Amino acid sequence: MSGEAVRFEPGEAFARRMDAEDPLRSFREEFLFPVHGDGHELYLLGNSLGLQPRKAKEYVLAAMEDWARLGVDGHFKGSPPWMEFHVPLGEQMARVVGARPEEVVVMNTLTVNLHLMMVSFYRPTPERSKILMEASAFPSDQYAVAAQVRHHGYAPERTVIPLAPRPGEETLRHEDILEALERHGKEIALVLLGNVNYLTGQAFDMAAITRAAHRQGCRVGFDLAHAAGNLKLSLHEDGPDFAVWCSYKYLNGGPGALGGVFIHERHLRDASLHRLPGWWGNDRRTRFQMKPDFEPAPGAEGWVLSNPPIIQMAALRASLELFDRATMPALRAKSEKLTGYLEFLIDRLPEGFVRSLTPRDPGQRGAHLSLRFTKDPQRMLETLRAEGIHCDFRYPDIIRAAPVPLYNSFLDVHRFVSVLERYARG
Ligand SMILES: *Cc1c(COP(=O)(O)O)cnc(C)c1O
């Protein structure tokens, strides 16, 4: 799945040439960068909180204006009307993750959605109660899983099967995941993987894992917090039962932005699935008849609980329009080059100074590299901050650097590694 091979060169002139040839270079102008001194930061943190698209403020203010001018009539007369505000967002989001529009809905936030999806897709029985997940899953996912397990009367320590790398290794081997499925498959109710793993940057083969899990009769869900807007996903074809993600990381929806949910088509008309419903998930045709019995809307919309927050949606709209213009295949092609270039420059740093934990195969990673440093990582982070370089630090020694293809440049990557190099040699 890797893009065309590029022969990287160490000099700054190469970075400038790559930027000049980059068909997506103008998207950088669509974003607001945090200030640093008289200029702006070199921001490598799009995997944590994406930057603000210039248009976001305009769209948010327009929604505020509609509310002021129209009051409740904004539902029908806003531009766009609030009743339909979520429809194009769902369609745009579906394009980002490779799903059919009816399979995707934008609602709530990630952890809430993970709970809601587990209500529908984690239905343990005494014979099949287990959950297979990464030992290093994001804490919120671990808390949610343990609570759902307890909710059904099972003990997490006997029910959750943690997948860990082999001793001395940093990432999971694909064959070990398949082997765990072979070994425990008949007891597993749900396979839940974070794709991309937030800590190591490892991406999994979603299609192969889903196929293997389905052969064993398990349900499969993915947490795509670090994949949505990063990897080129094909959720419909790969076929997991559900996926959840947030849109404040690579999707630039703003702090606390609405999350996304995918439910595979095969489940959309199954009225027997348990769910925690609300009035906004009722079929639109009968919603306002206010009947006592819930009639789910066809599609993932049938899982929506509440009337949606328009102001949050307005901010997200600005970013999703950019994804539609840039397209995921083009973004991914640039991303593989950008991250490959970062790896190339990191490899040239003095021996023993830094080691990347992230797989070297571009097909097994997204934009970010997790870098483990030996030489006083805390002081190095301070050096980076003083230079206006913003990346993420995981105590005690890991820096995660994410060059994101929408707004980072090859020159950004070159500048970042130049500062590391000066520190390594200083
Ligand atoms: C960022 C992230 C979350 C955060 O959850 P919220 O409910 O959006 O606060 C959860 N899981 C993973 C894997 C993440 O990367």
Side-chain angles (χ1 to χ4, degrees):
M1 249 181 288
S2 52
E4 75 211 74
V6 185
R7 197 181 281 277
F8 298 122
E9 298 165 26
E12 186 183 304
F14 173 80
R16 292 185 184 280
R17 201 164 70 236
M18 288 298 284
D19 285 334
E21 290 169 4
D22 170 14
L24 300 177
R25 65 185 177 278
S26 64
F27 282 92
R28 188 177 171 90
E29 308 304 322
E30 306 277 356
F31 288 89
L32 298 165
F33 286 75
V35 293
H36 176 77
D38 301 334
H40 60 69
E41 277 184 354
L42 197 173
Y43 197 78
L44 295 172
L45 259 175
N47 59 328
S48 180
L49 182 70
L51 293 179
Q52 185 180 133
R54 278 183 194 279
K55 278 252 168 149
K57 194 189 272 182
E58 177 189 324
Y59 288 167
V60 168
L61 289 178
M64 294 293 283
E65 194 57 38
D66 281 347
W67 176 26
R69 246 176 0 99
L70 300 165
V72 73
D73 283 347
H75 283 294
F76 305 99
K77 295 185 183 152
S79 52
W82 302 338
M83 289 295 288
E84 283 139 43
F85 208 105
H86 64 290
V87 176
L89 284 190
E91 291 169 1
Q92 288 166 323
M93 196 63 109
R95 284 191 280 277
V96 168
V97 297
R100 305 208 162 147
E102 64 274 19
E103 291 174 317
V104 170
V105 71
V106 172
M107 64 178 188
N108 312 314
T109 48
L110 199 169
T111 308
V112 174
N113 290 333
L114 180 57
H115 275 295
L116 294 178
M117 288 302 104
M118 288 181 73
V119 165
S120 293
F121 295 105
Y122 177 58
R123 307 294 305 165
T125 60
E127 301 74 41
R128 193 188 274 281
S129 63
K130 303 211 166 162
I131 299 183
L132 183 72
M133 71 188 298
E134 297 146 282
S136 69
F138 193 86
S140 200
D141 300 41
Q142 300 198 43
Y143 308 155
V145 163
Q148 291 276 341
V149 165
R150 278 193 216 100
H151 177 72
H152 287 282
Y154 296 90
E157 54 287 5
R158 284 195 298 277
T159 307
V160 177
I161 306 175
L163 278 167
R166 295 184 187 186
E169 298 186 4
E170 305 285 358
T171 50
L172 286 167
R173 293 197 195 191
H174 184 64
E175 71 254 35
D176 289 356
I177 302 175
L178 297 185
E179 198 270 333
L181 279 170
E182 277 296 320
R183 187 138 47 97
H184 304 289
K186 297 290 180 251
E187 304 162 9
I188 295 174
L190 176 68
V191 176
L192 179 67
L193 290 176
N195 201 22
V196 173
N197 179 283
Y198 81 104
L199 195 59
T200 64
Q202 180 176 23
F204 300 109
D205 184 340
M206 197 183 286
I209 292 170
T210 300
R211 255 195 323 273
H214 280 167
R215 261 202 307 275
Q216 299 287 338
C218 323
R219 300 279 192 175
V220 186
F222 282 92
D223 181 334
L224 302 176
H226 284 270
N230 178 13
L231 298 182
K232 196 175 148 308
L233 298 164
S234 312
L235 287 182
H236 177 79
E237 274 183 26
D238 289 353
D241 297 285
F242 72 88
V244 290
W245 58 94
C246 54
S247 53
Y248 49 83
K249 292 173 179 164
Y250 291 94
L251 292 175
N252 317 308
L258 287 157
V261 171
F262 162 87
I263 299 159
H264 197 275
E265 193 176 50
R266 74 179 84 89
H267 299 300
L268 294 181
R269 276 154 196 87
D270 180 356
S272 73
L273 272 178
H274 280 251
R275 68 180 97 191
L276 296 182
W279 73 314
W280 223 256
N282 198 88
D283 195 315
R284 284 186 224 186
R285 287 166 302 184
T286 55
R287 185 187 293 152
F288 291 98
Q289 295 172 11
M290 305 299 203
K291 291 194 202 148
D293 291 324
F294 176 69
E295 271 181 66
E301 230 184 297
W303 272 260
V304 176
L305 278 80
S306 303
N307 77 96
I310 297 301
I311 293 160
Q312 278 290 358
M313 286 195 163
L316 182 56
R317 177 182 160 203
S319 177
L320 292 183
E321 284 181 357
L322 296 175
F323 276 88
D324 253 354
R325 269 171 49 203
T327 75
M328 272 321 295
L331 285 165
R332 180 62 184 156
K334 175 176 172 186
S335 179
E336 288 189 3
K337 288 180 196 150
L338 262 185
T339 299
Y341 180 53
L342 173 61
E343 187 177 59
F344 166 81
L345 294 177
I346 293 281
D347 282 348
R348 300 173 58 86
L349 291 174
E351 182 83 35
F353 170 66
V354 59
R355 195 162 55 81
S356 170
L357 313 184
T358 305
R360 295 187 73 87
D361 170 9
Q364 290 183 54
R365 69 184 183 203
H368 98 250
L369 293 185
S370 292
L371 305 169
R372 177 169 276 149
F373 289 90
T374 50
K375 186 177 167 184
D376 195 349
Q378 191 76 50
R379 194 162 64 84
M380 188 181 71
L381 191 72
E382 284 157 23
T383 307
L384 289 170
R385 290 311 306 267
E387 298 269 352
I389 296 175
H390 211 156
C391 45
D392 168 275
F393 184 62
R394 292 282 132 167
Y395 188 82
D397 58 358
I398 294 178
I399 279 181
R400 295 183 303 174
V404 311
L406 259 179
Y407 50 74
N408 283 123
S409 63
F410 290 84
L411 196 57
D412 285 346
V413 171
H414 190 273
R415 273 193 53 213
F416 169 58
V417 184
S418 303
V419 174
L420 293 181
E421 180 165 9
R422 250 182 290 136
Y423 181 79
R425 297 190 192 282

